Amino acid sequence: MYNYIQNLADNTLILGQRLAQWCGHGPFLEEDLALTNTSLDILGQAQMLLNLAAEIKGDGSTADDLAFLRDAIGFKNVILVEQPNGDFAHTMLRQYFMDVYHVHLYTILSGSSNQSLAEIAEKSLKEVTYHLERSQLWMQRLAHGTKESIDRLQNALNELWHYTHELFEESEELDDLVEQGIAADPIHLKIHWEADVKEWLASTALTIPKTGWKATGGLNGHHSEYLGLMLCEMQFLQRAYPDCEW
Amino acid sequence: MYSQGLRDSAAGDEPVELLAAFQARIDKEEKIEPRDWMPAAYRKTLIRQISQHAHSEIVGQLPEANWVTRAPTLKRKLILLAKIQDEAGHGLYLYSAAETLGESRKKMYDDLLSGKAKYSSIFNYPTLNWADIGAVGWLVDGAAIMNQVALCRTSYGPYSRSMVRICKEESFHQRQGYEIMVKMAHGTAQQKAMAQDAINRFWWPALMMFGPSDKDSPHSSQSMKWKIKRFSNDDLRQKFIDATVPQAEYLGLTIPDKHLKLDDATGSYTHGEIDWKEFVNVIKGNGPCNQQRMAARIKAHKDGAWVREAAEAYAKKLQNSKDNKKEVA
């Protein structure tokens, strides 16, 4: 179960960290606020999930230890969330993919047989439902806005699509957790996620890119080159000045 | 919007009776509202002051955002993000308050980006170590609160009301900054050194936030008469110093002013001369980060142009399709 919670926690931690890079640099003031606010919600989810992971680990580690003292190989997030922000179309498409995923995930996990996980999911579901409303609206605006916005969104889709498969990777360990009613079934998640995303894509002129390549490895700690650099930045103070109180 | 409020005449040819009636309302502590008659110079002063204040909130996001991705714990990261978000929210209220005076946000923002409008000099200093985030909350927000608590009673209604809300949030910001300083100053020798370095760099710029000395403050006397300002720059600065010195003592940090001394007779601190040349220089655009801050704002605005255009184009398409449906019906 520790690996599963770590995967959920790291997805939110790394996505929140990426979104925080927009702080002060949004395309206009309201959107700057929305990006920061989304980052704040998602990092709040990361904190709750890391607390739960630390509790399960049971060796005295804290959520901060897990966030700031693990190396890249210890991180179990999908590679999608560590992709650079790119332009606003990249950031919002990644966000839309993750929002659709999180809404379905937390809906199922609200009924998890693990009480702590169910509580976190229930609280988080309210937030991600609102995030999805916003990212859906942006997908409409960008997909039906100007030629430039459509081109930029298509570019983002070409780059990011191959990273989405990793959200639904199966494993024996995960199968066991699904059977115990703790985790969400990745096959079920994939069906619902694809139905939503493809329904939206069908209403646009966007096309899903064709290539055989699919990102994989994040769940085993094998990431893109970007994660190591993100951790250098995020973990700097804890690494340079160990054992301090902040 | 609020065009009724724009009927005042140009400065200089305003009827004496109207001016007298306006001043009488101010003297009676009545709030001036957007639709009320007001002297052109009152309007102009407020637009200048409120928009500068809004710009400061927006540019002020940048030195703090500089540490968001490096905050040392999850808790600190969350607090800092929430705080910066508050500041951006203050920018929004303040632009709205200034819009009630008939100035568009676009015009105000264009003036910021062109360098015509000013923002607080303090944000042209860099945040170089984590304790700077503490110092910004403690000293910069602390100085801002001194100014803003006074502005809660300012004579223009929308400005006064936005200040009440902003002050509530600012006092939380000041406390979180001081809490960081407590941790740093009472932490390891390296942390304490960071805290001392932060106060060394931020003390004097924080004192400059109150503006020029009263004898050199060009806008002060009329603003006091109109009760836009309620206290003079020097009075507020003194109040800030008197409140802050004991806090620095508790932290065990040294304030970088060898002339600082408690005057037993008044209970106030006397202080060394502020380097006004530095202040003027930073205001003129020659501070350590002026170029960087403006470049960041201009880049965000430029990079966001296609996003704003797409949103407008989509809104127009929606409107057209609604209009077409109405016609068919």
Side-chain angles (χ1 to χ4, degrees):
Chain A
M1 179 163 173
Y2 174 66
N3 281 334
Y4 181 62
I5 302 300
Q6 233 189 342
N7 165 240
L8 304 185
D10 292 345
N11 282 346
T12 49
L13 177 60
I14 300 302
L15 180 61
Q17 175 77 1
R18 273 291 185 224
L19 284 172
Q21 292 175 333
W22 273 101
C23 184
H25 306 282
F28 52 95
L29 190 47
E30 284 81 352
E31 208 40 51
D32 201 310
L33 274 160
L35 284 161
T36 313
N37 196 27
T38 308
S39 169
L40 187 59
D41 285 348
I42 290 174
L43 287 168
Q45 293 166 17
Q47 191 181 34
M48 292 189 286
L49 289 162
L50 285 170
N51 275 328
L52 178 58
E55 200 180 292
I56 295 167
K57 202 171 179 226
D59 63 357
S61 299
T62 64
D64 281 335
D65 293 339
L66 295 181
F68 295 97
L69 298 175
R70 274 181 298 159
D71 202 347
I73 193 147
F75 275 76
K76 308 296 182 197
N77 57 280
V78 293
I79 298 172
L80 173 67
V81 293
E82 67 204 41
Q83 294 310 297
N85 285 332
D87 63 12
F88 188 72
H90 273 77
T91 294
M92 287 314 297
L93 182 64
R94 183 185 62 199
Q95 194 58 39
Y96 170 66
F97 286 157
M98 289 307 293
D99 290 343
V100 175
Y101 169 76
H102 274 140
V103 165
H104 289 300
L105 175 76
Y106 291 142
T107 302
I108 296 168
L109 292 184
S110 299
S112 170
S113 59
N114 181 291
Q115 191 59 33
S116 305
L117 184 56
E119 283 168 14
I120 294 171
E122 201 181 333
K123 184 175 185 297
S124 305
L125 181 59
K126 289 178 194 151
E127 294 170 349
V128 296
T129 303
Y130 177 72
H131 298 171
L132 178 60
E133 268 180 41
R134 170 174 162 268
S135 58
Q136 260 173 335
L137 181 58
W138 273 113
M139 289 304 98
Q140 290 298 97
R141 284 168 171 163
L142 299 185
H144 304 284
T146 59
K147 181 175 181 310
E148 182 173 4
S149 71
I150 296 166
D151 288 348
R152 284 177 182 267
L153 195 53
Q154 182 64 59
N155 282 341
L157 185 61
N158 293 346
E159 284 180 30
L160 296 177
W161 181 256
H162 314 293
Y163 292 97
T164 58
H165 310 284
E166 215 186 358
L167 287 165
F168 315 106
E169 271 182 17
E170 298 169 54
S171 69
E172 274 181 33
E173 191 190 350
L174 186 52
D175 284 350
D176 287 346
L177 293 174
V178 173
E179 233 164 77
Q180 293 169 51
I182 294 173
D185 180 354
I187 301 170
H188 174 96
L189 282 175
K190 187 179 182 172
I191 291 168
H192 284 82
W193 185 89
E194 279 193 356
D196 287 355
V197 171
K198 287 185 174 169
E199 187 190 339
W200 164 65
L201 284 170
S203 74
T204 71
L206 301 168
T207 50
I208 294 175
K210 286 182 192 127
T211 114
W213 182 71
K214 288 177 182 177
T216 183
L219 277 64
N220 298 316
H222 296 133
H223 292 271
S224 65
E225 291 174 346
Y226 299 116
L227 184 66
L229 293 169
M230 285 185 80
L231 297 185
C232 286
E233 186 181 16
M234 184 171 84
Q235 299 179 339
F236 157 67
L237 282 167
Q238 292 265 4
R239 299 286 192 184
Y241 305 99
D243 303 322
C244 289
E245 276 198 44
W246 302 96
Chain B
M1 86 186 71
Y2 301 109
S3 52
Q4 295 94 328
L6 289 172
R7 64 204 154 155
D8 41 86
S9 342
D13 58 4
E14 287 156 328
V16 180
E17 313 82 66
L18 278 178
L19 285 170
F22 180 79
Q23 189 60 49
R25 290 188 63 197
I26 300 270
D27 294 341
K28 277 194 283 178
E29 297 288 332
E30 279 180 28
K31 290 278 178 259
I32 306 301
E33 297 298 337
R35 286 156 193 261
D36 297 346
W37 185 88
M38 62 187 84
Y42 177 85
R43 183 186 302 280
K44 197 176 155 200
T45 302
L46 276 168
I47 290 174
R48 182 180 54 83
Q49 183 169 333
I50 301 173
S51 64
Q52 270 183 17
H53 194 161
H55 299 330
S56 300
E57 301 281 1
I58 302 308
V59 178
Q61 288 180 276
L62 298 171
E64 293 188 286
N66 181 39
W67 279 91
V68 158
T69 53
R70 289 178 291 169
T73 65
L74 292 167
K75 180 182 140 188
R76 293 284 172 215
K77 194 189 288 290
L78 290 168
I79 293 174
L80 185 56
L81 266 172
K83 174 189 189 299
I84 301 172
Q85 203 198 347
D86 284 350
E87 308 290 8
H90 298 171
L92 266 184
Y93 306 148
L94 288 162
Y95 282 127
S96 303
E99 278 180 325
T100 65
L101 291 156
E103 190 79 316
S104 75
R105 186 161 125 196
K106 184 179 180 309
K107 165 83 168 57
M108 290 184 268
Y109 208 72
D110 287 348
D111 284 349
L112 170 68
L113 298 183
S114 72
K116 192 179 160 201
K118 304 286 180 217
Y119 55 88
S120 178
S121 57
I122 193 74
F123 302 117
N124 290 315
Y125 292 87
T127 48
L128 301 179
N129 80 53
W130 171 251
D132 286 12
I133 296 305
V136 167
W138 172 39
L139 299 175
V140 175
D141 292 327
I145 290 171
M146 285 291 168
N147 262 316
Q148 291 169 0
V149 165
L151 285 172
C152 291
R153 288 173 52 232
T154 194
S155 59
Y156 187 58
Y159 193 26
S160 149
R161 289 188 287 274
S162 64
M163 276 304 129
V164 172
R165 180 157 178 187
I166 287 172
C167 279
K168 283 183 193 160
E169 294 182 345
E170 288 295 353
S171 74
F172 154 75
H173 298 170
Q174 201 260 353
R175 279 205 301 275
Q176 68 82 36
Y178 193 66
E179 198 209 339
I180 291 176
M181 293 307 282
V182 170
K183 288 276 183 199
M184 297 297 281
H186 296 163
T188 63
Q190 285 172 315
Q191 284 176 300
K192 187 167 181 182
M194 286 186 235
Q196 185 60 53
D197 178 43
I199 193 174
N200 288 350
R201 284 178 288 105
F202 275 95
W203 176 255
W204 291 105
L207 296 190
M208 293 175 200
M209 285 176 67
F210 295 93
S213 181
D214 294 348
K215 59 180 174 16
D216 302 315
S217 183
H219 304 293
S220 277
S221 109
Q222 184 59 61
S223 283
M224 295 281 271
K225 196 177 157 209
W226 278 334
K227 296 187 181 172
I228 293 175
K229 275 176 90 140
R230 310 288 310 215
F231 298 95
S232 79
N233 294 352
D234 286 338
D235 285 351
L236 287 171
R237 189 167 12 245
Q238 188 62 51
K239 224 172 144 189
F240 172 74
I241 293 170
D242 291 344
T244 310
V245 173
Q247 294 170 352
E249 282 169 0
Y250 173 78
L251 293 172
L253 298 176
T254 309
I255 287 178
D257 177 1
K258 54 181 192 275
H259 300 290
L260 193 73
K261 217 177 88 192
L262 182 64
D263 180 341
D264 289 327
T266 60
S268 273
Y269 288 85
T270 54
H271 60 88
E273 187 59 27
I274 291 170
D275 182 354
W276 293 115
K277 262 194 216 153
E278 176 181 326
F279 173 71
V280 171
N281 212 21
V282 176
I283 291 281
K284 276 187 180 160
N286 302 321
C289 293
N290 292 63
Q291 285 192 23
Q292 185 189 336
R293 300 287 183 246
M294 286 317 295
R297 292 263 43 102
I298 291 167
K299 184 176 187 305
H301 192 68
K302 231 170 151 183
D303 289 352
W306 71 269
V307 180
R308 298 189 298 274
E309 282 160 19
E312 277 169 28
Y314 180 67
K316 211 174 266 176
K317 280 180 193 171
L318 275 189
Q319 190 56 46
N320 287 345
S321 96
K322 265 188 203 164
D323 291 347
N324 288 344
K325 273 182 198 159
K326 263 189 208 163
E327 271 175 35
V328 172

